[in-house]
Amino acid sequence: RAAAAFKAAGDRGVATLQSANVELITLDAEALEGFREAMQGPLEAFLKSEGEQAGFDGAAFVARFRTTQ
């Protein structure tokens, strides 16, 4: 249910941006893979930092969230 609510919120956000004539860019598969690779390190660092600050394993939390979709 949480994943569905998160997706619905994202869909509403995209619709809001589109109605405000904000240019949205869709990446092709190759560019998306490059983006994911480039963001892997910064994302891991962010999850570690934020998780430690909040007292839990941020990476494990996100991994668990992804498997419950």
Side-chain angles (χ1 to χ4, degrees):
R1 286 189 231 174
F6 186 75
K7 179 165 183 346
D11 291 345
R12 285 191 305 273
V14 169
T16 299
L17 292 171
Q18 289 171 327
S19 68
N21 295 318
V22 173
E23 180 183 6
L24 301 175
I25 300 169
T26 302
L27 301 177
D28 62 30
E30 183 178 344
L32 181 57
E33 182 60 28
F35 177 78
R36 286 182 174 151
E37 287 176 12
M39 291 305 299
Q40 188 65 35
L43 179 57
E44 288 175 3
F46 173 79
L47 291 174
K48 181 178 181 189
S49 171
E50 293 298 307
E52 287 175 353
Q53 189 173 9
F56 66 93
D57 184 339
F61 175 83
V62 171
R64 176 78 171 147
F65 182 77
R66 288 180 175 160
T67 62
T68 58
Q69 295 182 41

